[in-house]
């Protein structure tokens, strides 16, 4: 074998990314034992010698992508992290992960992280940003927002973003329930006083717009905000919020939960109260978590295209780093995944006998 074998050659031989080879050589614990053994064997067999000059240069310049994410226990984000890491690895970037505490503003954390580490670029996954805000411009590195809701102000943002339209997709989900004949639809919402462009606030707006479009009066007594004392968008918070809804004595036949984890906890509270799903109460979640398929009954949910979103985020960041491309805002459509059949309610028309709400379902506005 030629003496000038490179780290890219080792990566190709082993079928891994350059970043994985680098981590294996440096005994990074994130590399599995089997992968490390294969890489080190190739290094020995092909007499690969790391270029110290190049290594020292990388230490100065850095080739690391940072990922800041909010909600370390949120399975929605956990499912995306491995996609981010693989995509960065394939492009030759190292990967640095930092969890933002629940009540911290992301931009404050980003400023601190960039002071402590030399980053090539930054991905901000979820969390609260106090837009309109250009404070992140002073980071000195390209960054991309993923699943961070961007306000529609018409102003050109200083960075690229990848998301779905939370208001539109919530509108679609609630409209589906209305199409089944439900008129008393409760919502397990985000926190009170949430930033107006936060995901919880936008999903509540979509809920209200679906009611309005279909001639149903908004009832504040059917809106229950998640607890301030329990981790947000969590199963315990869904359980607690549903318990408060049940204890209120409000009349409802369906529930829209603003996350699958909230829906999961809510189902437990409904079961404890003797409410059958979907016979007594239909429920729809949001996010498309894998476990929703295995619930009993399985949960109808708004599925976000997480793999596409993660890959596009890394692509946009790489373009910003290498090509200095202008920021773009990418919005994907979600999918309403209808699983086990939800209950269909009867709608009374004057003094006549009840009939299924087929006509109303055909007339629904889904856009």
């Amino acid at each position: 074998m030629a003496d000038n074998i490179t780290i890219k050659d080792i990566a190709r031989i082993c079928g891994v990314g350059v970043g994985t080879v680098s981590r294996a050589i440096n005994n990074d614990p994130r590399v599995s034992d089997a992968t490390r053994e294969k890489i080190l064997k190739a290094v020995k067999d092909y007499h690969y010698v790391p270029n110290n000059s190049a290594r020292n240069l990388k230490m100065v310049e850095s080739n690391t992508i940072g990922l800041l994410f909010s909600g370390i226990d949120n399975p929605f984000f956990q499912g995306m992290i491995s996609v981010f890491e693989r995509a960065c690895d394939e492009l030759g970037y190292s990967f640095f992960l930092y969890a933002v505490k629940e009540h911290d503003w992301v931009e404050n954390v980003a400023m601190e992280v960039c002071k402590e580490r030399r980053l090539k670029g930054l991905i901000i996954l979820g969390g609260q940003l106090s837009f309109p805000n250009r404070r992140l411009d002073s980071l000195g590195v390209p960054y991309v927002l993923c699943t961070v809701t961007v306000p529609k102000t018409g102003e050109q943002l200083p960075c690229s973003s990848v998301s779905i339209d939370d208001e539109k997709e919530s509108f679609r989900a609630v409209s589906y329930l209305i199409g089944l004949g439900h008129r008393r639809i409760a919502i397990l919402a985000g926190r009170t006083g949430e930033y107006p462009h936060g995901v919880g606030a936008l999903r509540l707006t979509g809920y209200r717009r679906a009611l309005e479009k279909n001639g149903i009066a908004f009832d504040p007594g059917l809106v229950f905000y998640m607890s301030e004392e329990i981790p947000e968008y969590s199963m315990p918070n869904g359980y607690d919020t549903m318990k408060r809804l049940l204890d209120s004595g409000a009349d409802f036949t369906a529930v829209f939960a603003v996350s699958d984890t909230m829906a999961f906890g809510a189902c437990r509270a409904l079961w404890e109260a003797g409410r059958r799903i979907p016979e007594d109460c239909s429920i729809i979640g949001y996010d498309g978590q894998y476990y929703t398929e295995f619930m009993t009954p399985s949960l109808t949910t708004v599925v976000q295209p997480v793999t596409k979103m993660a890959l596009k985020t890394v692509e946009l960041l790489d373009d910003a780093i290498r090509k200095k491309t202008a920021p773009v805002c990418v919005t994907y459509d979600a999918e309403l995944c209808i699983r086990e059949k939800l209950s269909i309610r009867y709608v009374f028309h004057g003094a006549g006998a009840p009939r299924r709400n087929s006509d109303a379902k055909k007339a629904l506005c889904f856009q």
Side-chain angles (χ1 to χ4, degrees):
M1 186 73 181
D3 292 335
N4 62 343
I5 188 168
T6 68
I7 191 171
K8 290 184 179 180
D9 295 323
I10 296 295
R12 177 178 51 78
I13 291 166
C14 296
V16 299
V18 171
T20 300
V21 175
S22 177
R23 287 194 288 272
I25 293 172
N26 289 283
N27 202 30
D28 191 310
R30 290 176 295 175
V31 180
S32 69
D33 291 340
T35 300
R36 180 183 295 104
E37 183 179 344
K38 178 171 65 174
I39 291 171
L40 295 181
K41 184 177 186 301
V43 167
K44 180 179 178 181
D45 291 347
Y46 292 97
H47 308 289
Y48 168 66
V49 178
N51 186 324
N52 289 329
S53 297
R55 176 182 293 179
N56 291 335
L57 180 61
K58 284 196 172 188
M59 287 179 65
V60 173
E61 294 182 346
S62 172
N63 202 37
T64 301
I65 298 297
L67 173 66
L68 301 188
F69 75 106
S70 302
I72 191 169
D73 296 325
N74 190 333
F76 175 71
F77 291 144
Q78 290 173 356
M80 298 181 78
I81 289 172
S82 60
V83 182
F84 283 120
E85 185 168 17
R86 286 197 302 271
C88 287
D89 186 67
E90 289 173 2
L91 292 170
Y93 295 110
S94 300
F95 188 70
F96 167 73
L97 187 65
Y98 191 97
V100 180
K101 294 179 182 178
E102 183 175 329
H103 297 290
D104 287 347
W105 287 100
V106 172
E107 53 263 61
N108 294 339
V109 177
M111 296 292 291
E112 291 300 319
V113 169
C114 286
K115 285 179 183 178
E116 296 173 2
R117 290 177 173 266
R118 294 182 296 272
L119 298 177
K120 199 76 169 181
L122 187 67
I123 296 169
I124 297 176
L125 177 63
Q128 296 280 348
L129 288 172
S130 52
F131 279 114
N133 183 314
R134 291 186 174 271
R135 186 181 176 197
L136 288 174
D137 283 358
S138 60
L139 289 176
V141 298
Y143 62 99
V144 178
L145 309 179
C146 182
T147 73
V148 178
T149 304
V150 178
K152 299 176 182 178
T153 61
E155 179 185 8
Q156 176 64 49
L157 292 174
C159 65
S160 294
S161 67
V162 179
S163 63
I164 65 170
D165 188 329
D166 284 288
E167 180 182 338
K168 184 185 81 170
E169 301 302 344
S170 298
F171 174 90
R172 188 197 308 271
V174 176
S175 295
Y176 178 74
L177 287 171
I178 296 170
L180 296 178
H182 293 281
R183 293 297 179 269
R184 299 288 296 171
I185 303 171
I187 179 172
L188 306 187
R191 287 185 170 158
T192 56
E194 183 183 26
Y195 185 68
H197 298 290
V199 294
L202 287 171
R203 292 172 191 180
L204 175 58
T205 299
Y207 161 85
R208 294 192 62 164
R209 190 163 65 87
L211 297 178
E212 178 184 350
K213 285 284 186 180
N214 290 282
I216 301 173
F218 172 70
D219 182 358
L222 292 177
V223 179
F224 278 74
Y225 297 94
M226 66 177 68
S227 171
E228 298 285 344
E229 290 74 35
I230 304 173
E232 62 180 353
Y233 299 102
S234 65
M235 295 177 189
N237 216 325
Y239 175 82
D240 176 82
T241 307
M242 177 56 78
K243 289 279 286 185
R244 286 187 280 114
L245 170 58
L246 291 166
D247 291 343
S248 73
D251 177 34
F252 62 94
T253 63
V255 172
F256 172 53
V258 296
S259 75
D260 288 338
T261 46
M262 293 280 287
F264 193 103
C267 288
R268 174 70 188 191
L270 286 167
W271 178 80
E272 289 181 355
R275 299 283 188 101
R276 298 169 301 165
I277 303 172
E279 293 83 359
D280 300 323
C281 177
S282 294
I283 185 166
I284 285 182
Y286 199 110
D287 284 334
Q289 291 296 311
Y290 75 93
Y291 59 78
T292 57
E293 184 178 356
F294 302 97
M295 295 169 62
T296 305
S298 56
L299 183 70
T300 291
T301 179
V302 176
V303 180
Q304 298 197 54
V306 292
T307 299
K308 286 183 180 179
M309 293 167 71
L311 292 176
K312 175 57 73 171
T313 299
V314 175
E315 176 189 327
L316 292 176
L317 185 57
D318 184 55
D319 286 345
I321 293 169
R322 299 180 193 273
K323 305 175 186 177
K324 312 297 183 185
T325 52
V328 295
C329 180
V330 178
T331 304
Y332 284 99
D333 287 329
E335 175 190 0
L336 181 60
C337 182
I338 300 168
R339 296 231 169 86
E340 293 185 43
K341 190 174 182 180
L342 299 180
S343 62
I344 299 176
R345 295 284 154 167
Y346 289 100
V347 178
F348 286 87
H349 299 269
R355 61 181 174 84
R356 291 186 185 270
N357 193 32
S358 57
D359 295 336
K361 186 175 181 181
K362 291 177 183 177
L364 281 174
C365 303
F366 280 92
Q367 301 295 333

